[in-house]
Amino acid sequence: MSVCVQYPSAGCIVEYLEGNAVQIALVTEESGGKLRLLLPNRRETRLTTSRLLPWAGPALGSVPGKDESARLLEQHRARREELAAALPVLELWEMSQGEVPEASAQWFAELAGQAGDADSVAACGRALLACKSHFRFQPPVFQIFSAGMVEKRLREQQERAAREALVLGGNSFFRLLWDVACKKRALPPRPGGDCRGMSEWPAPEVAERLKQILFARMADPENQEYDELWRMLSKGLPDVPHLPVQLLMAWEQVPAHYNFWYDRAGYAPGDDWWRPLAPAVEALQRAARQVELPVCDLPFISIDSATTRDVDDAFHILPTDDGGFELTLALACPAACWPFGEPLDKAVFRRGTSIYLPEGDSHMMPEVLGTDAFSLLAGQDRPAFCVKTRISAAGEILSCEPRAARVRLAANLTYDDTQAVLDALASGEAPQADNPAAPWAAMLACGNDFAHVWQKARIARGAVIMDRPEPSIVLEGQGAQTRVSIEPGHETPDSQPLVAEMMILASAAVAQWAAEREIPMLHRTQDVALPREYAGVWKEPQDMTRIMRALIPSSLEVQARPHAALGLARYTPMTSPLRRYPDLINEAQLLHWLTHGTPRWDSEALSTLLVSLNAVLDAAGQVQRFRPRYWKLLYFRQQGDKVWWDGVVTEENDMFVNVSLPAQGMYVRGKRRMFDERTCPGMAVQVRIGRVHPLYNEIQILEAVSMDG
């Protein structure tokens, strides 16, 4: 028999839910399903009977005075809370689960042996309401969850609790870190021992989760997995670029000046990334020594910077009787035994290209391969892809003969030594005997002649050449103590173009050879129409800026289209297979054709591969572009805002003036009102720079002075 009142009237104790909490009250008046209730705090409220919980009672028979009513309500409330706390709710679930799908509070009270009065039933209802992981209240009964559902809800409950703790502790900790980043305070002592400030640190499990979120947001700011959580954690913090980076640096989880662009690209810097693949790398080292290829005994020489370790091209050149040239290029040939499709190849593919930065290089391949086993080191037998070409005196490609061979370079020369030889020859003097490049003076002179002829021919076809020396960025010190200096780059006006023109020729000749045989290749294209007067070599900043506005970025495509800036109908990059994955693909495609008479990949396969490859190259390209600029901005900030810098105006309009700083390889912008009214492109100016924030990529002109007239 029920101990609860089915139709509560005046004098009956009832309960209802308010704000997700159970409230107790006494009915003082009932009329047509509408109730007036007296609360324990002696206040009154109105409620409909539909809002009541299904365990009304006991009925007092009459309505006592307010003081007595409040005393009785408090007495029943205390007893119900005591009974609810003692109720073995989980045992009730174990006894009922699988037996009935749902039951009333009184049924559960009877199951627990506590259905003696209304307080017992109400206490049972309260306990069941609190156990949301095992029961769901569907008035007037409680649904009983299955074991699987309970496990799921307990897991969700734990996650919800962890999330609340994370947000509560994380937001305050992030605010602390932001103050540290802004130098408003020092990082408090870490937990441990008797360290004061311990309460300012989150619990270890919360700290680990916060660290995970910050690293994820640093690597991918658009990460939707943490999007909502990040909004709550960063609430009240400024919406600035790269906030996770600043918080991690303040937390000392990453060093000062951390290169987060590597994280964005998913690119592991340094040379440890391949260690889990060591057996495959060792096998490839052996394969490089053992691959059987015919020998090419030409005395090849290479020319690179003094710090270059991955030597991927060398040449041998002779003049021909008709005033032209016979040029044979030897290119590093990892494709001769490369394990395409295997884990090592996939890891190299995900890198896509080597990255060269002031703080150090990160090679596309393991260094034991890229700087040793496949690198064209003088005196060492190496597999090579040789491209023999004949060029007319007018700079036309007469023939192209690609083949694989083993070569042994005669010398590895530097740009500086080569330039010294060319300078001596130009002045009619003999090169210095102790110059390593001196024995190759005749070949270097021939190569220099070729470079002039070939470049002139490219310009005749519309090539646009930007002669823009890049200064050298030098770093000293570590972490926050790093100091930046910018030094003029080495002037090698002949030796670098000599090599560059040979590489352009090889890529053009191979593109033509492959097209004649309908071999699908990856092409670098820049299909844009340029005014004829843009062709030539440009050195002045204002001229280069004007012409660059007319160009579009080059792109990597399977379809062969013109490359406007190079002045070529087709351009197939394949001269740097140690440094660029597209070159490795093209080299493998050519080798497969030479060996089997068929391409390794058809056009459709190359197009599919290119989708992922372009994304990889774009990400690595951001590292290569933004990181040197970061160091330049840091250099300007370290110099302070009182220094005047020499510049040249490149563009101007009613709002802004753009200025090139040639010595630092930088472009900066200032408001038009700071400049002389006569300011125009080409005008020499001096500017004072400030408001520099390297991380935000911000720099502004504070003041400008014209140096013309």
Side-chain angles (χ1 to χ4, degrees):
M1 180 176 178
S2 174
V3 296
C4 296
V5 176
Q6 187 172 5
Y7 302 106
S9 58
C12 184
I13 293 176
V14 295
E15 291 189 334
Y16 64 96
L17 284 174
E18 185 74 44
N20 209 29
V22 176
Q23 307 293 333
I24 192 169
L26 178 69
V27 179
T28 60
E29 184 181 327
E30 188 273 333
S31 176
K34 296 181 180 180
L35 307 175
R36 175 181 289 176
L37 303 178
L38 178 68
L39 304 179
N41 60 7
R42 296 176 175 78
R43 293 182 179 177
E44 292 188 347
T45 188
R46 294 182 181 276
L47 210 68
T48 61
T49 55
S50 62
R51 290 279 308 279
L52 297 181
L53 291 170
W55 46 75
L60 303 180
S62 62
V63 180
K66 281 191 175 182
D67 290 344
E68 178 63 15
S69 296
R71 186 189 67 77
L72 288 172
L73 287 174
E74 186 60 33
Q75 179 182 328
H76 283 281
R77 182 193 62 76
R79 183 165 185 264
R80 292 177 182 193
E81 287 182 354
E82 181 181 354
L83 290 172
L87 196 70
V89 183
L90 298 184
E91 291 182 13
L92 293 180
W93 174 79
E94 289 178 356
M95 288 187 288
S96 59
Q97 192 268 326
E99 299 296 327
V100 294
E102 59 186 29
S104 66
Q106 180 157 341
W107 185 88
F108 280 104
E110 292 171 354
L111 185 64
Q114 295 183 4
D117 56 18
D119 283 346
S120 299
V121 176
C124 188
R126 283 172 173 249
L128 294 173
L129 282 172
C131 191
K132 292 181 171 58
S133 56
H134 291 67
F135 303 94
R136 174 183 288 156
F137 183 47
Q138 290 287 99
V141 297
F142 288 90
Q143 292 181 345
I144 304 165
F145 290 138
S146 66
M149 178 60 73
V150 166
E151 182 180 358
K152 177 184 176 183
R153 290 179 71 86
L154 284 174
R155 186 169 57 251
E156 291 173 348
Q157 193 177 71
Q158 292 172 350
E159 291 174 354
R160 189 161 49 250
R163 183 186 182 91
E164 291 172 357
L166 180 70
V167 172
L168 181 63
N171 182 256
S172 61
F173 186 57
F174 279 6
R175 288 170 180 262
L176 182 154
L177 292 177
W178 178 249
D179 287 344
V180 174
C182 296
K183 304 189 185 308
K184 294 180 180 178
R185 61 171 297 179
L187 189 67
R190 295 180 184 276
D194 297 326
C195 287
R196 289 176 298 174
M198 191 169 170
S199 61
E200 296 183 280
W201 289 82
E205 61 276 9
V206 172
E208 192 61 33
R209 182 67 170 153
L210 292 175
K211 192 187 308 181
Q212 178 185 356
I213 292 170
L214 284 174
F215 273 105
R217 293 291 299 188
M218 177 176 68
D220 182 8
E222 307 303 322
N223 191 322
Q224 295 184 354
E225 179 183 357
Y226 300 111
D227 197 40
E228 182 181 351
L229 192 55
W230 174 253
R231 281 198 296 270
M232 292 187 287
L233 287 169
S234 61
K235 187 176 182 180
L237 294 176
D239 184 16
V240 296
H242 315 306
L243 177 60
V245 185
Q246 291 178 273
L247 298 181
L248 284 168
M249 285 194 289
W251 195 356
E252 298 177 350
Q253 296 301 313
V254 299
H257 309 303
Y258 180 70
N259 188 355
F260 65 91
W261 292 107
Y262 274 132
D263 298 82
R264 292 273 180 94
Y267 193 114
D271 191 45
D272 290 331
W273 57 272
W274 58 270
R275 303 298 177 186
L277 302 169
V281 173
E282 292 168 3
L284 200 51
Q285 287 178 282
R286 292 192 296 271
R289 293 191 297 268
Q290 298 168 1
V291 62
E292 295 185 3
L293 296 171
V295 174
C296 178
D297 57 4
L298 290 175
F300 291 103
I301 60 174
S302 69
I303 307 175
D304 292 283
S305 67
T307 58
T308 296
R309 297 166 55 216
D310 46 350
V311 181
D312 55 9
D313 60 79
F315 69 92
H316 178 270
I317 190 167
L318 292 172
T320 58
D321 294 338
D322 59 0
F325 307 90
E326 182 178 281
L327 170 64
T328 304
L329 286 171
L331 306 172
C333 194
C337 49
W338 190 256
F340 286 101
E342 296 184 11
L344 176 60
D345 169 61
K346 293 177 181 178
V348 171
F349 177 94
R350 287 192 294 270
R351 295 171 76 78
T353 180
S354 295
I355 296 176
Y356 303 96
L357 300 176
E359 60 264 48
D361 301 336
S362 295
H363 295 275
M364 179 181 77
M365 293 185 178
E367 290 186 15
V368 293
L369 300 177
T371 66
D372 186 8
F374 291 114
S375 185
L376 301 179
L377 304 179
Q380 303 289 324
D381 285 336
R382 291 290 186 267
F385 188 82
C386 296
V387 180
K388 180 180 178 181
T389 56
R390 287 181 62 88
I391 305 97
S392 73
E396 297 175 341
I397 300 173
L398 302 177
S399 65
C400 175
E401 301 174 24
R403 65 189 179 101
R406 293 198 73 88
V407 302
R408 180 186 288 250
L409 264 62
N412 294 131
L413 306 181
T414 67
Y415 288 125
D416 289 341
D417 289 339
T418 300
Q419 187 64 47
V421 168
L422 295 175
D423 288 343
L425 295 176
S427 63
E429 300 175 0
Q432 293 186 358
D434 60 350
N435 187 330
W440 310 100
M443 193 187 300
L444 295 176
C446 183
N448 194 37
D449 291 341
F450 153 78
H452 289 299
V453 168
W454 174 244
Q455 187 180 92
K456 182 179 179 181
R458 288 200 300 116
I459 292 173
R461 292 191 288 268
V464 176
I465 300 169
M466 304 296 183
D467 186 2
R468 181 170 48 200
E470 184 64 27
S472 176
I473 301 172
V474 180
L475 308 180
E476 295 181 2
Q478 297 291 328
Q481 307 306 315
T482 302
R483 296 292 300 179
V484 186
S485 59
I486 297 181
E487 302 175 354
H490 288 298
E491 290 291 332
T492 52
D494 298 308
S495 58
Q496 283 187 288
L498 184 156
V499 175
E501 294 298 336
M502 287 182 177
M503 298 306 106
I504 295 172
L505 169 76
S507 297
V510 165
Q512 180 177 311
W513 184 88
E516 292 169 355
R517 290 154 183 79
E518 299 182 345
I519 305 173
M521 303 290 285
L522 297 180
H523 304 278
R524 179 65 64 180
T525 70
Q526 191 183 48
D527 193 6
V528 60
L530 296 177
R532 186 67 189 88
E533 60 270 20
Y534 281 11
V537 180
W538 302 95
K539 298 184 178 182
E540 299 301 326
Q542 66 273 17
D543 293 330
M544 290 189 283
T545 298
R546 172 172 52 86
I547 294 170
M548 288 297 294
R549 292 296 184 196
L551 292 172
I552 60 173
S554 65
S555 59
L556 199 61
E557 302 179 15
V558 176
Q559 180 183 358
R561 295 193 293 161
H563 194 298
L566 293 177
L568 298 176
R570 290 183 180 84
Y571 179 73
T572 301
M574 44 77 67
T575 59
S576 294
L578 301 180
R579 308 178 189 185
R580 300 191 298 251
Y581 200 88
D583 297 46
L584 178 61
I585 290 175
N586 280 336
E587 185 176 74
Q589 189 82 323
L590 294 169
L591 273 178
H592 199 278
W593 177 273
L594 292 172
T595 305
H596 303 286
T598 59
R600 185 182 186 95
W601 299 277
D602 59 20
S603 296
E604 183 177 351
L606 283 182
S607 297
T608 301
L609 181 151
L610 196 54
V611 173
S612 300
L613 183 56
N614 272 330
V616 168
L617 294 176
D618 287 346
Q622 286 188 328
V623 184
Q624 190 67 70
R625 288 194 309 275
F626 288 114
R627 188 57 173 177
R629 180 174 174 83
Y630 174 90
W631 292 120
K632 289 182 180 180
L633 291 175
L634 183 61
Y635 168 76
F636 281 107
R637 189 171 72 179
Q638 290 176 347
Q639 298 303 307
D641 61 4
K642 307 303 181 187
V643 180
W644 288 88
W645 306 90
D646 293 328
V648 178
V649 175
T650 59
E651 292 179 296
E652 60 91 22
N653 56 40
D654 292 340
M655 297 295 294
F656 296 102
V657 174
N658 292 340
V659 176
S660 168
L661 306 179
Q664 292 76 37
M666 281 285 291
Y667 288 86
V668 291
R669 170 185 284 189
K671 293 181 179 178
R672 184 66 178 81
R673 58 180 171 77
M674 296 179 182
F675 291 81
D676 189 287
E677 61 183 10
R678 299 168 299 165
T679 297
C680 61
M683 178 178 287
V685 294
Q686 282 193 330
V687 295
R688 191 166 60 84
I689 289 173
R691 300 193 184 100
V692 182
H693 200 304
L695 191 60
Y696 299 169
N697 193 25
E698 292 178 354
I699 184 170
Q700 292 184 25
I701 294 175
L702 302 180
E703 193 174 356
V705 176
S706 172
M707 302 303 292
D708 287 357

